[in-house]
Amino acid sequence: MGFETLLTREQIERYTREGYWGSKVITDFLDEAAEKTPDKLAAVDGRSRYTYRELRQLVDRCALGFLELGVRPGDVVSFQLPNWNEWVIAHFAATRIGAISNPLVPIYRDREIRFMLGLAEPKIMVIPDRFRNFSYPEMMERLRPSMPFLRHILVVGDEVPLGQESWKTFMETKWEKIRDPGELAALRPDANEVTELIFTSGTTGEPKGVLHTHNTVISTDVLTARLLNFDADTVIHMASTFAHQTGFLYGPRLVTYLGSTGIYQDIWNVERFVEMVEEFGIHMTMGATPFLHDLVRAPNLDQHDLSSLRVFICAGAPIPRPLLREARKRLPGVAVLGGWGQTEDALVTLSRMGDSEEKITSTDGLPVPGMEVRVVDGSGRLLPPGQPGRLQCKGPFLFVGYAKRLEMTRASFDGEWFDTGDFAVIDEEGYVSIEGRAKDIIIRGGENIPVSYVENVLHEHPDIEQVAIVAMPDPHLQERACAFVIRKSGATLTLADLQQFLQEKGVAKPYWPERVEVVDEFPRTASGKIQKFKLREEIARQLQREGER
């Protein structure tokens, strides 16, 4: 179908000349690994495992099958699969024939899927029969009448209703006997064509369809691997869903680029993760900060050898200082690194090995080589170090457009600089500190409240397990701060307790939350990010109800 993008010939020439972009696509790296180390373990999930030889054979068969089902270069293949090897096969098979992969988060239901498929218009949809006790075929039966573009629904599992097709039967068909495998070489895509249509994670409302080329997604793996000295011997674990950019880029794609081994979990289970570190010699994992929180408190942590684990990258939320200290005590051989990125721009900043506790807990790291960042005020004027403003970035990792939203894409850029929608501060050394989404910034009587700073201080409170601060409407001051708190077991906490703690810590009084809401859990995206817009909606509803009494 093709999507209009903002990619220019000048960008292609510049990033190619500078060495960030090349001519390879991810299946080229799959082929290289299958030739060099055919018997090496490539992918392990909770249901199957494949060597590189086996994985390539399955990918080629699937690609030929997709062709037989009518998929052509530029068409979209959607798949709403957990972190299973079928996801890897479907994605690489789509890549092999120049189709666009559209991974969809397993937790999405009718409303989200109707919107996303309506925008993507895939020819094929691949789904599980059941996951977390939800029937995906039944959902697709409800949605299919409104989707004339959808030709085939392939179901992974045994519950295949009439009108949908079995993935097992599809993959057992010897498509290589029906179609000429030589077709695949002829269909190899150009590295500057779109390969990914992935939706934003929904922390701020309606999702956007983000378009990436082969080069924009491969360059982030290349440069991140180089920065962290990863190689073919680096065993990588991923439990973040492959349908978010963290899982997509730093799960199967990073593994395949390196020719290493990937260990995947479809549902995060910390005790099983601890076992797998010992079983497979896992070196690196990446996920939301709550994953690290779980790990340092894993009940079986002391019963297993975790000496292979070297890197834990936390993305999506700040690392509280007490958590980092606990991690360094319980996991002394593990470098805990903070990072920041988005669906649109991958991992833009990352802590460095050997960074101080202060840098890791109070900043989101330095720009990854190749990426540039700056902070500007509301009129686009460049701000000096130490002054907060809107964070913008540019570089080879940047997306090339929002699907079918060209004007929205143009509005998101200031020349070559992408306006991230985040507020941040860049210090004298170049470290970036994210202060929150532009919509998360609280403006109290004209004073900006540094949300992340106050949250970091409150994470040190002995009775607080987790905290999220959001704006609540105020008729006089415009906004005031409300702290949503998950308390530690058995603890009590009042607003007075919280404010006294902030006073003792020397936090300015205008920054103090003026209301506390105790909750059992936060609304989160599948990647673990707190959906603060839902917390804002909740406190606004509560205030409205209270005003009506």
Side-chain angles (χ1 to χ4, degrees), residues 3 8 29 31 86 147 175 190-191 197 209 227 251 256 309 342 396 450 471 496 503 527 530:
F3 292 100
T8 66
F29 295 103
D31 292 339
E86 288 85 355
M147 300 179 178
W175 299 109
D190 183 273
L197 165 54
L227 182 63
T256 305
L309 191 62
Q342 299 172 304
Q503 183 177 25
S527 62
I530 298 173

Side-chain angles (χ1 to χ4, degrees), residues 105-167:
V105 178
I107 64 170
Y108 291 157
R109 298 295 182 255
D110 297 49
R111 181 180 177 87
E112 296 90 354
I113 294 300
R114 180 182 289 109
F115 172 81
M116 293 173 179
L117 294 189
L119 189 145
E121 296 187 49
K123 284 189 175 178
I124 290 179
M125 175 74 161
V126 188
I127 55 175
D129 60 353
R130 190 168 292 274
F131 181 65
R132 288 181 176 255
N133 202 33
F134 179 76
S135 172
Y136 293 83
E138 289 180 8
M139 175 179 68
M140 291 310 302
E141 284 299 298
R142 294 190 294 271
L143 298 178
R144 194 171 193 176
S146 64
M147 300 179 178
F149 46 80
L150 187 59
R151 297 185 183 179
H152 301 275
I153 299 173
L154 298 175
V155 181
V156 180
D158 299 324
E159 300 176 26
V160 184
L162 188 67
Q164 300 184 26
E165 301 159 63
S166 165
W167 171 270

Side-chain angles (χ1 to χ4, degrees), residues 495-510:
L495 178 61
D497 294 334
L498 184 148
Q499 292 180 337
Q500 182 180 348
F501 180 79
L502 291 174
Q503 183 177 25
E504 292 170 356
K505 290 291 183 178
V507 176
K509 188 173 182 178

Side-chain angles (χ1 to χ4, degrees), residues 33 37 40-43 50 52 230-236 251-264 283:
T37 54
K40 184 174 184 176
L41 203 55
Y50 297 115
Y52 273 103
F230 290 165
D231 57 25
D233 294 326
T234 304
V235 179
I236 293 173
R253 292 185 63 92
L254 177 58
V255 167
T256 305
Y257 160 69
L258 294 169
S260 62
T261 298
I263 312 297
Y264 308 128
H283 298 105

Side-chain angles (χ1 to χ4, degrees), residues 251-289:
R253 292 185 63 92
L254 177 58
V255 167
T256 305
Y257 160 69
L258 294 169
S260 62
T261 298
I263 312 297
Y264 308 128
Q265 279 185 284
D266 57 1
I267 298 174
W268 169 247
N269 179 297
V270 69
E271 293 181 63
R272 178 61 187 138
F273 171 67
V274 168
E275 295 169 354
M276 290 191 299
V277 173
E278 181 177 67
E279 181 180 353
F280 296 103
I282 292 170
H283 298 105
M284 172 268 191
T285 190
M286 181 176 181
T289 304

Side-chain angles (χ1 to χ4, degrees), residues 220 224 246 250 286 313-319 337-352 363-368 371-374 390-394 397-398 418-424 432-437 452 529:
T220 181
T224 303
T246 294
Y250 308 107
M286 181 176 181
I313 299 176
C314 290
I319 306 171
L337 306 177
W340 170 85
Q342 299 172 304
T343 309
E344 291 91 341
D345 45 35
L347 192 64
V348 178
T349 67
L350 184 66
S351 304
R352 299 300 193 259
T363 80
D364 294 272
L366 292 165
V368 174
M371 296 300 289
E372 299 177 58
V373 295
R374 71 179 188 182
R390 297 184 71 92
L391 181 66
Q392 298 181 337
C393 70
K394 69 175 182 177
F397 305 172
L398 264 184
F418 172 62
D419 193 308
T420 67
D422 278 342
F423 266 58
V432 177
S433 299
I434 303 297
E435 298 206 331
R437 298 291 295 167
S452 292
K529 295 180 181 178

